[in-house]
Amino acid sequence: MLILRRSDVVETLAGREAEVIDLVAEAYRLHDEGRTALPHSTFLRFPEEEHQRDRIIGLPAYRGGDAPVAGMKWIASFPGNVAAGLERASATVVLNSLENGRPSAFLEGSVISAKRTAASAALAARLLTEQAPPSGVTLIGCGVINLEILRFLKAALPGLRDAALYDMDPERAEAFARTCTEAVPGVRTVAVREIGDALAAHPLVSLATTAARPHLDLSDCAPGTTVLHVSLRDLTVETILGAVNVVDDTDHVCREATSLHLAEQRTGNRDFVAAQIGALLRGTAQIRREPGRPVVYSPFGLGVLDIALAEFVRTEAEAKGLGVRVDDFLAS
């Protein structure tokens, strides 16, 4: 058993945003071709009132293709951690041998999860704005995910120069602006006090909050804005129904009280979904921008991305001699 610590994962993935974006794109293509196995995520929730916002999610997956891999991500989201000075999410990934089913690697997964999420968002941003690449982005929610999204957007959109930042906690937004300046040189950041001003600032918006239910419309956005709806529960049903919607997997995203799930419950169908990103990448589907309608990308976050990136990390880290090998983890 190879155990890869957070430091091993960080070292392996440092500066490799372009490669991770390509890896995520290939996973989406394989998924669209039917060459993955992707059961629904399992959500573990708790009956106590004090844990109503907390959850732990299991995401098993298999990626086929030239380098098949199978495994599972187990990720906990405890929003109250932020106030205690801890990261909201923690995760592990286990990879299993396809020869005998035995676990072969155990990885710290929060870095993998954040980077695959950001790569998915950046890939969608590049794909959906290729006719008019933006020079600026608005980030709603000043946490780990939007920091990674900004890092990956800079790799996907080299012309990106500006970022407007909004958080319900203005001090957090100010601190986040300083963090972004250090982490993503070349992008000017400014904290914005009013969410309406933030939404209006740029034609590309990333929503990465801990919202549990819809609270936001896009009336303050410029016509034709592209929205990366990463946290999935920010936008009202009316907003979803008024948008051109792109998803990673329609069946997966219309679950667990996401904004799209609520839209399906309202309408009784999924006709509001225009395309899946894998089909757009393969050229088997197209979307048509319509004047006045935003384009909204809502990725549920497919476990196949975690497994694909974990296997990439395992291979690269092993070649570098990183990690801790436990030879007697299993019975011989």
Side-chain angles (χ1 to χ4, degrees):
M1 169 71 79
L2 178 65
I3 298 176
L4 294 173
R5 301 155 294 195
R6 182 187 181 99
S7 59
D8 301 321
V9 177
V10 170
E11 180 178 341
T12 302
L13 292 178
R16 306 186 77 165
E17 287 80 18
E19 291 172 85
V20 176
I21 291 172
D22 288 344
L23 180 148
V24 165
E26 179 60 15
Y28 280 142
R29 292 188 188 97
L30 289 169
H31 182 59
D32 193 67
E33 292 171 3
R35 301 172 73 186
T36 64
L38 202 61
H40 280 307
S41 306
T42 297
F43 282 68
L44 176 63
R45 293 191 171 91
F46 311 98
E48 293 82 9
E49 182 64 30
E50 63 268 27
H51 288 296
Q52 288 304 297
R53 297 176 65 205
D54 302 334
R55 65 193 186 205
I56 309 178
I57 311 171
L59 294 86
Y62 165 79
R63 181 200 65 186
D66 296 333
V69 60
M72 179 172 177
K73 178 175 75 170
W74 183 241
I75 181 166
S77 174
F78 279 54
N81 283 357
V82 176
L86 301 173
E87 290 190 356
R88 174 187 60 83
S90 59
T92 56
V93 178
V94 61
L95 299 178
N96 292 78
S97 166
L98 287 170
E99 293 181 4
N100 53 33
R102 288 187 161 201
S104 57
F106 190 75
L107 301 85
E108 195 282 335
S110 66
V111 174
I112 289 170
S113 186
K115 289 186 181 293
R116 66 81 152 148
T117 300
S120 171
L123 172 67
R126 183 173 67 192
L127 185 65
L128 298 174
T129 67
E130 59 185 351
Q131 299 303 317
S135 61
V137 61
T138 290
L139 307 178
I140 306 294
C142 295
V144 171
I145 297 301
N146 259 340
L147 176 60
E148 288 296 338
I149 286 174
L150 183 61
R151 195 192 314 272
F152 276 79
L153 283 174
K154 182 60 177 173
L157 302 170
L160 196 72
R161 296 288 180 266
D162 296 284
L165 316 176
Y166 174 83
D167 195 273
M168 292 179 65
D169 180 348
E171 292 184 3
R172 180 176 169 86
E174 293 286 353
F176 189 65
R178 295 189 291 272
T179 299
C180 290
T181 298
E182 295 175 3
V184 192
V187 177
R188 295 182 294 267
T189 58
V190 58
V192 180
R193 292 276 174 161
E194 300 295 330
I195 192 169
D197 294 336
L199 290 170
H202 298 293
L204 178 64
V205 174
S206 173
L207 302 173
T209 77
T210 58
R213 58 185 58 87
H215 62 99
L216 186 66
D217 63 43
L218 301 176
S219 58
D220 290 307
C221 292
T225 293
T226 300
V227 179
L228 309 173
H229 185 209
V230 176
S231 37
L232 291 177
R233 295 171 180 84
D234 294 277
L235 298 179
T236 64
V237 168
E238 291 77 14
T239 301
I240 293 294
L241 296 179
V244 177
N245 291 286
V246 177
V247 302
D248 53 0
D249 184 290
T250 306
D251 194 37
H252 283 256
V253 81
C254 289
R255 297 180 67 230
E256 296 295 333
T258 64
S259 296
L260 286 85
H261 187 198
L262 299 179
E264 179 189 21
Q265 291 176 330
R266 172 84 60 85
T267 62
N269 60 62
R270 299 173 177 178
D271 295 345
F272 52 85
V273 175
Q276 296 186 160
I277 190 169
L280 293 178
L281 289 166
R282 294 179 61 221
T284 58
Q286 294 181 335
I287 62 166
R288 181 168 58 88
R289 283 188 173 270
E290 300 179 24
R293 295 182 69 189
V295 174
V296 174
Y297 176 57
S298 298
F300 190 72
L302 304 180
V304 69
L305 305 184
D306 300 283
I307 301 310
L309 185 52
E311 174 64 6
F312 175 83
V313 170
R314 184 199 65 77
T315 302
E316 295 293 315
E318 199 165 30
K320 292 182 176 182
L322 298 176
V324 177
R325 184 167 291 282
V326 181
D327 293 327
D328 58 351
F329 184 83
L330 298 171
S332 59

